[in-house]
Amino acid sequence: MAFAYLTNIACEEAIERLLDALDELGGRVKKELVPVSESLGRITAEPLYARISAPHYHACAMDGIALQASVTFGATSTTPVVVQPDRYVVVDTGDPLPDGCDAVVMVEDVVLPEGVGMHELGVCPVTLYKASSPWGNVRQIGEDICAGEMLLTSGTVISPAAMGAMLAAGIAEVPVVVRPKVGIIPTGDEVVPPCPDPRPGDVMEFNSTIFAGMVRSWGGEPVTYPITPDSPEAVRDALLRAVSECDAVLLNAGSSAGRDDYSARVVADAGELLFHGVAIKPGKPAMAGIVRGVPVIGVPGYPVSGIVVVESLLRPVLERFLGASFADGVSAEATLARPCTSSLKHKEYVRVRLGAVEGKLVATPLSRGAGVVTSFVKADGIMEIPQNSEGFEAGEKTRVRLLRPLAQIERSLVVIGSHDPLIDEIAQIMHVKQPELSVASTHVGSMGAIVAAKRHENHCGGIHLLDEATGEYNASYLERHFPQGGVRQVECVYRQQGFMVAPGNPLGIESLADLAQEGMRYVNRQKGSGTRILSDYLCKQENVDPASIYGYDHEEFTHTAVAALVESGAADAGMGIYSAAKIYGLGFVPVCEEQYDLLIPDYAWDTPMVQALLEVLQSEEFRARIEAMGGYRVESPGMVRRHYETRAQI
Amino acid sequence: MAFAYLTNIACEEAIERLLDALDELGGRVKKELVPVSESLGRITAEPLYARISAPHYHACAMDGIALQASVTFGATSTTPVVVQPDRYVVVDTGDPLPDGCDAVVMVEDVVLPEGVGMHELGVCPVTLYKASSPWGNVRQIGEDICAGEMLLTSGTVISPAAMGAMLAAGIAEVPVVVRPKVGIIPTGDEVVPPCPDPRPGDVMEFNSTIFAGMVRSWGGEPVTYPITPDSPEAVRDALLRAVSECDAVLLNAGSSAGRDDYSARVVADAGELLFHGVAIKPGKPAMAGIVRGVPVIGVPGYPVSGIVVVESLLRPVLERFLGASFADGVSAEATLARPCTSSLKHKEYVRVRLGAVEGKLVATPLSRGAGVVTSFVKADGIMEIPQNSEGFEAGEKTRVRLLRPLAQIERSLVVIGSHDPLIDEIAQIMHVKQPELSVASTHVGSMGAIVAAKRHENHCGGIHLLDEATGEYNASYLERHFPQGGVRQVECVYRQQGFMVAPGNPLGIESLADLAQEGMRYVNRQKGSGTRILSDYLCKQENVDPASIYGYDHEEFTHTAVAALVESGAADAGMGIYSAAKIYGLGFVPVCEEQYDLLIPDYAWDTPMVQALLEVLQSEEFRARIEAMGGYRVESPGMVRRHYETRAQI
């Protein structure tokens, strides 16, 4: 089953090999003529020269009278000039400049004889108190475009304004590059079309939908072939069909590493294999070759690896086909919120969330799992860790390629702290109220909220930290961690914590002591989370040794993740909030009602995002959603419980 | 003909009135269900919750063996554990985790008994030298997505990755916002559909094509109506039809100010006029109202004004309809290359070219003419001059909203200097050779090239400055203007200068003295251009008083603009290069061959753009194009004639 990749070449070298092979095959830009009105977003295949000038005639730029400027020479406020009706012509804006005229006087500057009305303009003499200069108030031929000028080079993406300019320049049809056809072949016996009810072991085939979207957004035309079973013959047949119909082909392996190897063999047999194995992570098993004159790219099965490989290898191929370059987009400098290590063996692409806190960009690395497609949904940027680097420290500055406009990132509420599904509901209500705002939340537990606020990395975070000594929530922690003050403790909700168990609680679980029994399996929350502090506290109270509970070190980061594991039967119980148990239809053994507050640092208080958050907390919509979710009690959400004012440290 | 606008309200107030009126009409987001695979770029109409978890089962993340982690506890490199075949199951990546197992050991870590082959894995005992932790090498249910979690809020633009995430979460169809229909009514008796051969006075109707492209790029669906003649009845009928069929309507007036007024009256009669006249430039005549529950925006006829008004007023309306906000895009700080004054009466939008010179962004304002649609084609950014500002000085720093990615702007060769059509040809050849590079050229004459290089604002510029004393070109100017050195004088071409005249030279023009005759009309180039210096020099030589030549102060900025005027009959002669005369089929009276060099400052020399420029100059493609254009002679283009090395000033 094990196998070795043929190569471990740098990404840059892989691209070079691929493009060199394309060059050997000869020119690839195919052209077609389309009407200008249908050319939006297409790419010019040739330089375009203006056929006519714009304006194409000398046009009056004002309503008024046209005349020869020389007849007005010498006119001043004290020495006006009278112009007889045979020496001027009444014109409207846009009219052609009449023969013999070279200037227009705007109507406001034309004085009629006393008692004469505007309707007589054209038949009466007029008095002018200002001299015109030749070509004054005239839009001359070619003011905008001169016939024969190059309007657009080849390789230009056609914008709405460019469409207008082409029409103005007498161009009705524009030669554009034919959209390259990209065949996408999903393979794998276990791969099934997406469905709402997959069986265990079914791998849903959504990669081709993602890749098709990427191809489309780069100006290509995706052609998705049926799922091909795992046999060299079937893959070979599908590949030969695709290369005969398309300009490039993506061969999407199943998730098994064994099969990548096998696609490579098919490519090598049917054509020329250029490389197999690239020093990038994710995406190492990437492969490329040329089959019957068509580039074929082997894409690993995991969606995140697949996206990285398609972006890294297919995009340059499409750029070559289109004769255009898509700029790498905008990059910005960001401060890393957590350390991010990487191997010297490969270049690594890490997806990050970005937030603008106190004028600086903060990058929080997202899950690096190759199967975590939501990391691409949540990502605001991509951080590149070079091949020869071991990664970055927390607090280090690094450049990040932005996936969203900076202006949008700057209007995002950065929530780092304890998880609760209500954060997502807040995001939704806030977005409806103020569509320009968004929420980026990261779940790192209550202590994570405190750490982030100390480092000035978030705008707010949920906290529910029980003080064992006093039975109070949060206050003592904030006092201890912020001796200099500078934070506010804001009321959010009270919520039910308890054991999430199978429906009907068939094992009769009532306490942690029950979970310490032989054969019971627990799933825990990560250290530093308020829920973990609660279960540690309960262990002490009940005199239960945590080591005696199987799975006590099995850590998850959200209430829903714990609920999903209990629902799957992988664990018999986990601690969490009622609303998560409700989503999964689980049984729930209440343990306590806890106080879930928001920690809001003073530096973030006046941002539009925090102000919008407070408005949401106080809204009727919020109360209604909270009620519908169940397991919550609200009193005065949004109220400042306590302002830990800034003071000099003692 | 004159008229007064009803209002002169700030743009922000205009938008507010319009949106308030929409709010009064009630909720506007209309939904439709589309298959996820067809949802790229659409906008979610509701928050989307995951229906199933992803993975939806516990999946083996490696090829190897699955087992209960507890059987491996205690295994180390010195105390291996032997696992019997009934305690493990052979698995492939993606397989469901077998019942009773909670960990996977990767095949590389499985040691078989001596002499036993891989094919016997599953029936032989295996030795492990490392303990597994529970859930090691297992992709747990919900690792990516937990059922019930909010995946996307409403108002999210659907990306390829989001499509994948929805499919993974069991969502097959997604509720998206119906694309709002925007009716576009072009009006005006003189307005004709675009054609390659318009008559004088025909105004080509390309605005609706531009507006349709803008609507489409914002996610709307444009509906363009036929051109409506200038009568209140016809406009009223067209408007009532459009409001019955669309969600919003653009009423595009002809170019005459008189007609704007008149559209406003039609809107006021048929519904409610909200405002007429906004304090923005260009775009002052903008108007909006509500007719039968549908917003109607009156758009001025000049294309540049129209684009600004559609961007300013229609975009917020579409955002409201779509429940989404398009970020204002990226802005950056730029240094202004020229002063840019503005009135206190309005907010002004100035289109600028941007270039990255020595790490700083330099903004050069483009033509502010309301009819100059190419200013939008060339623009890299929009500079806003606030209503209460008189504008900016040269050298002042100002924020510019970028219309292109910064990375693209940073790879643009900034050419500021003397005009020659060969600059466009260089741009084209360079783009084909290196699609990631582009050229931004501004024509300000030879002296402008020197000024720009002194201020570190360009990468190169054309110069052809005749020294009257020596008859030499350029060298003495560069010595005088760069006493400290730091520039290179690079050979480009030799070109024919002469008088461009009507075909066959019917007036027998041979010299400037001929042009000083009564009735002759000249068109000149701007002061500071090499061509102007040449004509001034000829005047001196021929003892002709420039004031005696009619039109000597009629200045144009390019050779083609001069040629276009001669071709139109507006002037009898102008000085310019042969290639421009050839484009227009004009007669040409040669005066001299001049040396057209490129001035390249040392600070720009090592940029990829300048290096690419030198490569283009030395290419066969360049020679071939130059030959085809006519009137040029090339010797060693790209050769450094002289390097004015940096030295301390004396």
Side-chain angles (χ1 to χ4, degrees):
Chain A
M1 288 189 296
F3 71 100
Y5 295 116
L6 297 174
T7 52
N8 182 39
I9 58 175
C11 189
E12 294 72 19
E13 191 190 333
I15 293 169
E16 204 181 313
R17 284 198 198 176
L18 195 46
L19 295 183
D20 284 352
L22 285 188
D23 283 345
E24 269 174 41
L25 295 169
R28 306 284 305 192
V29 172
K30 297 185 210 163
K31 302 169 194 186
E32 62 182 328
L33 269 183
V34 299
V36 165
S37 58
E38 289 162 27
S39 67
L40 182 66
R42 299 296 295 270
I43 292 166
T44 53
E46 294 170 8
L48 283 178
Y49 296 88
R51 295 212 179 119
I52 58 174
S53 296
H56 57 281
Y57 62 98
H58 298 296
C60 300
M62 289 284 175
D63 294 354
I65 61 170
L67 38 62
Q68 176 124 36
S70 57
V71 308
T72 71
F73 288 177
T76 67
S77 54
T78 51
T79 59
V81 164
V82 175
V83 184
Q84 295 305 319
D86 60 333
R87 304 294 297 275
Y88 75 84
V89 182
V90 180
V91 293
D92 271 341
T93 306
D95 283 351
L97 189 68
D99 276 347
C101 299
D102 66 1
V104 171
V105 179
M106 60 198 283
V107 72
E108 287 85 344
D109 292 339
V110 173
V111 177
L112 301 181
E114 261 204 54
V116 171
M118 258 306 177
H119 58 280
E120 285 189 50
L121 185 66
V123 295
C124 65
V126 295
T127 308
L128 306 176
Y129 291 88
K130 215 157 57 181
S132 294
S133 48
W135 306 102
N137 292 330
V138 174
R139 292 189 65 219
Q140 296 178 43
I141 284 185
E143 179 192 286
D144 189 0
I145 299 165
C146 289
E149 270 184 352
M150 194 186 293
L151 215 53
L152 305 170
T153 64
S154 66
T156 304
V157 180
I158 296 172
S159 67
M163 291 161 79
M166 286 189 278
L167 293 176
I171 298 169
E173 288 190 312
V174 51
V176 295
V177 183
V178 172
R179 295 186 205 279
K181 270 193 189 166
V182 177
I184 302 170
I185 307 176
T187 69
D189 290 336
E190 78 290 16
V191 172
V192 299
C195 60
D197 260 321
R199 291 165 313 175
D202 285 350
V203 171
M204 287 209 287
E205 204 297 285
F206 53 81
N207 281 0
S208 59
T209 305
I210 299 177
F211 301 158
M214 294 170 80
V215 166
R216 221 180 277 282
S217 67
W218 295 327
E221 189 187 324
V223 182
T224 303
Y225 291 94
I227 295 169
T228 301
D230 269 322
S231 90
E233 296 71 31
V235 171
R236 188 190 149 87
D237 289 351
L239 183 60
L240 292 183
R241 180 180 162 201
V243 297
S244 75
E245 294 172 350
C246 300
D247 300 300
V249 175
L250 296 176
L251 189 55
N252 192 202
S255 52
S256 159
R259 268 193 303 272
D260 294 321
D261 189 35
Y262 156 104
S263 307
R265 237 181 312 124
V266 170
V267 170
D269 289 350
E272 183 199 356
L273 186 67
L274 297 169
F275 56 82
H276 181 207
V278 177
I280 50 172
K281 185 183 174 185
K284 181 166 173 39
M287 170 265 288
I290 303 287
V291 175
R292 304 201 176 165
V294 171
V296 176
I297 296 170
V299 181
Y302 277 125
V304 170
S305 321
I307 292 172
V308 168
V309 168
V310 172
E311 167 88 27
S312 302
L313 300 181
L314 179 65
R315 208 179 71 160
V317 169
L318 286 187
E319 287 181 333
R320 183 61 59 98
F321 284 162
L322 292 165
S325 166
F326 312 123
D328 274 345
V330 182
S331 71
E333 194 168 73
T335 306
L336 207 56
R338 304 188 205 158
C340 196
T341 58
S342 179
S343 154
L344 296 173
K345 279 188 293 189
H346 45 242
K347 182 199 277 192
E348 183 163 4
Y349 296 101
V350 180
R351 293 160 299 290
V352 298
R353 270 238 125 117
L354 292 171
V357 182
E358 286 203 291
K360 71 174 196 296
L361 272 189
V362 177
T364 310
L366 288 159
S367 164
R368 297 203 248 173
V372 182
V373 69
T374 48
S375 63
F376 262 109
V377 178
K378 290 179 186 151
D380 300 308
I382 305 273
M383 179 175 74
E384 213 175 274
I385 306 181
Q387 191 170 347
N388 54 2
S389 160
E390 290 188 312
F392 302 113
E393 309 282 334
E396 220 175 309
K397 283 187 175 164
T398 168
R399 281 208 87 75
V400 172
R401 180 159 58 87
L402 302 187
L403 299 176
R404 288 186 222 285
L406 192 59
Q408 203 171 309
I409 292 167
E410 286 170 344
R411 289 186 295 217
S412 173
L413 177 73
V414 180
V415 183
I416 299 181
S418 167
H419 173 251
D420 193 299
L422 69 79
I423 307 274
D424 291 330
E425 301 296 333
I426 288 173
Q428 168 62 21
I429 297 168
M430 189 186 294
H431 185 83
V432 169
K433 282 183 183 288
Q434 294 192 51
E436 69 278 15
L437 301 182
S438 59
V439 173
S441 61
T442 310
H443 314 310
V444 295
S446 297
M447 286 308 299
I450 287 176
V451 171
K454 277 184 168 183
R455 293 203 202 138
H456 292 217
E457 287 171 355
N458 65 355
H459 295 130
C460 82
I463 48 171
H464 54 114
L465 292 158
L466 175 63
D467 184 335
E468 299 180 15
T470 62
E472 252 195 11
Y473 279 88
N474 301 327
S476 64
Y477 286 82
L478 295 180
E479 267 170 19
R480 194 159 64 245
H481 287 283
F482 296 95
Q484 293 174 290
V487 296
R488 285 173 174 90
Q489 180 186 349
V490 174
E491 179 173 335
C492 186
V493 296
Y494 298 88
R495 59 183 200 180
Q496 284 288 337
Q497 281 271 24
F499 294 113
M500 302 193 275
V501 294
N505 195 8
L507 299 173
I509 295 162
E510 296 295 334
S511 68
L512 282 165
D514 294 340
L515 286 162
Q517 306 294 314
E518 178 73 26
M520 292 291 212
R521 294 158 312 155
Y522 187 65
V523 51
N524 212 342
R525 288 292 304 285
Q526 85 278 14
K527 290 175 202 75
S529 68
T531 303
R532 174 64 168 265
I533 290 172
L534 177 63
S535 56
D536 289 351
Y537 169 70
L538 291 176
C539 278
K540 257 193 235 169
Q541 269 205 327
E542 299 182 24
N543 256 323
V544 174
D545 176 9
S548 68
I549 301 176
Y550 188 88
Y552 202 83
D553 51 0
H554 177 194
E555 298 186 348
E556 289 296 330
F557 278 75
T558 65
H559 295 276
T560 27
V562 170
L565 288 174
V566 173
E567 198 252 354
S568 78
D572 300 312
M575 182 154 287
I577 55 175
Y578 175 82
S579 63
K582 187 182 166 200
I583 291 171
Y584 284 81
L586 295 175
F588 185 77
V589 183
V591 168
C592 66
E593 186 188 70
E594 66 175 11
Q595 178 182 323
Y596 182 85
D597 290 334
L598 295 176
L599 162 61
I600 304 182
D602 286 354
Y603 62 74
W605 187 259
D606 288 325
T607 61
M609 292 78 80
V610 165
Q611 290 305 309
L613 165 69
L614 296 172
E615 205 179 294
V616 169
L617 290 174
Q618 290 159 18
S619 70
E620 270 316 302
E621 292 95 322
F622 179 68
R623 278 178 189 265
R625 270 314 290 160
I626 286 300
E627 188 139 330
M629 290 167 80
Y632 295 98
R633 190 167 60 79
V634 289
E635 288 189 358
S636 312
M639 189 198 68
V640 177
R641 287 186 188 277
R642 188 161 154 199
H643 186 185
Y644 301 77
E645 286 188 46
T646 307
R647 54 181 185 270
Q649 193 155 13
I650 302 142
Chain B
M1 289 189 297
F3 72 100
Y5 296 115
L6 298 174
T7 52
N8 183 38
I9 58 175
C11 189
E12 294 71 20
E13 191 191 331
I15 294 168
E16 205 182 311
R17 285 199 199 176
L18 195 47
L19 295 183
D20 285 351
L22 284 187
D23 284 345
E24 269 174 42
L25 293 168
R28 306 284 303 192
V29 171
K30 297 185 209 163
K31 302 169 193 184
E32 62 182 327
L33 269 183
V34 299
V36 165
S37 58
E38 289 162 27
S39 67
L40 182 66
R42 300 296 296 269
I43 293 166
T44 53
E46 293 170 9
L48 283 178
Y49 295 89
R51 296 214 178 119
I52 58 174
S53 295
H56 58 280
Y57 62 98
H58 297 297
C60 300
M62 290 284 175
D63 294 354
I65 60 171
L67 38 61
Q68 176 124 38
S70 56
V71 309
T72 71
F73 286 178
T76 69
S77 55
T78 51
T79 59
V81 164
V82 174
V83 183
Q84 295 304 319
D86 60 334
R87 305 294 297 274
Y88 74 83
V89 182
V90 179
V91 292
D92 271 342
T93 306
D95 283 352
L97 189 68
D99 277 347
C101 299
D102 66 1
V104 171
V105 179
M106 61 197 281
V107 72
E108 288 84 344
D109 292 338
V110 173
V111 177
L112 301 182
E114 261 204 53
V116 171
M118 256 306 175
H119 58 281
E120 285 189 51
L121 185 66
V123 294
C124 65
V126 295
T127 308
L128 305 176
Y129 290 87
K130 215 158 54 182
S132 294
S133 48
W135 305 103
N137 292 331
V138 174
R139 293 188 65 219
Q140 295 178 44
I141 283 183
E143 179 191 287
D144 188 0
I145 299 165
C146 290
E149 269 184 352
M150 194 186 294
L151 215 53
L152 305 171
T153 64
S154 66
T156 304
V157 180
I158 296 173
S159 67
M163 291 161 78
M166 285 189 278
L167 293 176
I171 298 169
E173 287 189 313
V174 51
V176 296
V177 182
V178 172
R179 293 186 207 280
K181 270 194 190 165
V182 178
I184 301 169
I185 307 175
T187 69
D189 290 335
E190 78 290 17
V191 172
V192 300
C195 61
D197 260 321
R199 291 167 312 174
D202 285 351
V203 171
M204 287 209 287
E205 203 297 283
F206 54 79
N207 281 0
S208 58
T209 304
I210 300 178
F211 302 158
M214 295 170 79
V215 165
R216 222 180 275 283
S217 67
W218 295 328
E221 189 188 324
V223 182
T224 303
Y225 292 93
I227 294 169
T228 301
D230 268 323
S231 90
E233 297 71 32
V235 172
R236 188 190 149 87
D237 289 352
L239 184 60
L240 293 182
R241 179 179 161 200
V243 297
S244 74
E245 294 173 349
C246 301
D247 300 300
V249 175
L250 296 176
L251 189 55
N252 192 202
S255 52
S256 159
R259 267 193 303 275
D260 295 321
D261 189 36
Y262 157 103
S263 307
R265 236 181 311 125
V266 171
V267 169
D269 289 349
E272 183 199 356
L273 186 66
L274 296 169
F275 55 82
H276 181 207
V278 179
I280 51 172
K281 186 183 173 185
K284 182 168 173 39
M287 172 264 289
I290 304 288
V291 176
R292 304 201 176 166
V294 171
V296 176
I297 296 170
V299 181
Y302 276 125
V304 171
S305 321
I307 292 173
V308 168
V309 168
V310 171
E311 166 90 27
S312 302
L313 299 181
L314 178 66
R315 209 179 71 160
V317 169
L318 286 186
E319 287 182 333
R320 183 62 59 98
F321 284 161
L322 292 165
S325 165
F326 313 123
D328 274 345
V330 181
S331 72
E333 192 167 74
T335 307
L336 207 55
R338 303 188 207 158
C340 196
T341 57
S342 178
S343 155
L344 296 173
K345 279 188 293 189
H346 45 242
K347 183 200 275 192
E348 183 162 2
Y349 297 100
V350 180
R351 294 159 300 291
V352 298
R353 271 237 123 118
L354 292 171
V357 181
E358 285 202 290
K360 71 174 195 295
L361 271 189
V362 177
T364 310
L366 288 159
S367 164
R368 297 203 248 174
V372 182
V373 69
T374 48
S375 63
F376 262 109
V377 179
K378 289 179 186 151
D380 301 307
I382 305 272
M383 180 175 73
E384 213 174 273
I385 306 180
Q387 192 170 347
N388 54 2
S389 159
E390 290 189 311
F392 303 113
E393 307 283 333
E396 220 174 308
K397 283 188 176 163
T398 167
R399 281 208 86 77
V400 171
R401 179 158 59 87
L402 303 187
L403 298 176
R404 289 187 220 283
L406 192 59
Q408 204 171 311
I409 292 166
E410 286 170 345
R411 289 187 294 217
S412 173
L413 177 74
V414 181
V415 183
I416 300 182
S418 167
H419 172 250
D420 194 298
L422 69 78
I423 307 274
D424 291 331
E425 301 296 333
I426 288 173
Q428 168 62 21
I429 297 168
M430 189 187 292
H431 185 84
V432 169
K433 283 183 182 288
Q434 295 192 50
E436 69 278 15
L437 301 182
S438 59
V439 173
S441 61
T442 311
H443 315 311
V444 294
S446 296
M447 286 308 299
I450 288 176
V451 171
K454 277 184 167 183
R455 293 204 201 137
H456 292 217
E457 288 172 356
N458 65 355
H459 295 129
C460 81
I463 49 171
H464 55 112
L465 292 158
L466 175 64
D467 184 335
E468 299 180 13
T470 64
E472 251 194 13
Y473 279 87
N474 302 327
S476 63
Y477 286 81
L478 295 180
E479 267 170 18
R480 194 160 64 246
H481 287 282
F482 297 95
Q484 293 176 290
V487 295
R488 285 172 174 91
Q489 180 185 351
V490 174
E491 179 173 336
C492 187
V493 295
Y494 298 88
R495 59 184 199 178
Q496 285 288 336
Q497 281 272 24
F499 294 113
M500 302 192 277
V501 293
N505 195 8
L507 299 173
I509 295 162
E510 296 294 334
S511 67
L512 283 165
D514 294 341
L515 286 161
Q517 307 294 314
E518 178 73 27
M520 292 291 213
R521 293 157 311 155
Y522 187 65
V523 51
N524 212 342
R525 289 290 305 283
Q526 85 279 14
K527 291 175 201 75
S529 68
T531 304
R532 174 65 167 265
I533 290 171
L534 176 62
S535 56
D536 288 351
Y537 170 70
L538 292 175
C539 279
K540 256 192 237 172
Q541 271 205 327
E542 300 181 23
N543 257 321
V544 174
D545 176 9
S548 67
I549 301 175
Y550 187 88
Y552 202 84
D553 51 359
H554 177 194
E555 298 187 347
E556 288 297 329
F557 278 75
T558 65
H559 296 277
T560 28
V562 170
L565 287 175
V566 173
E567 198 251 356
S568 77
D572 300 311
M575 181 155 288
I577 55 175
Y578 175 82
S579 63
K582 187 182 167 201
I583 291 171
Y584 285 80
L586 295 176
F588 186 77
V589 182
V591 167
C592 66
E593 186 188 73
E594 67 175 10
Q595 178 182 322
Y596 183 86
D597 289 334
L598 295 176
L599 162 61
I600 305 182
D602 286 353
Y603 61 75
W605 188 259
D606 288 325
T607 61
M609 291 80 78
V610 166
Q611 291 305 309
L613 165 70
L614 296 172
E615 204 180 294
V616 169
L617 290 174
Q618 291 159 17
S619 69
E620 270 316 303
E621 291 95 323
F622 178 68
R623 279 177 188 267
R625 271 312 292 158
I626 286 300
E627 187 139 333
M629 290 167 80
Y632 295 98
R633 190 167 60 77
V634 289
E635 289 189 356
S636 311
M639 189 198 68
V640 178
R641 287 186 188 277
R642 189 163 153 198
H643 186 184
Y644 301 76
E645 287 187 49
T646 309
R647 56 180 183 269
Q649 193 155 11
I650 302 142

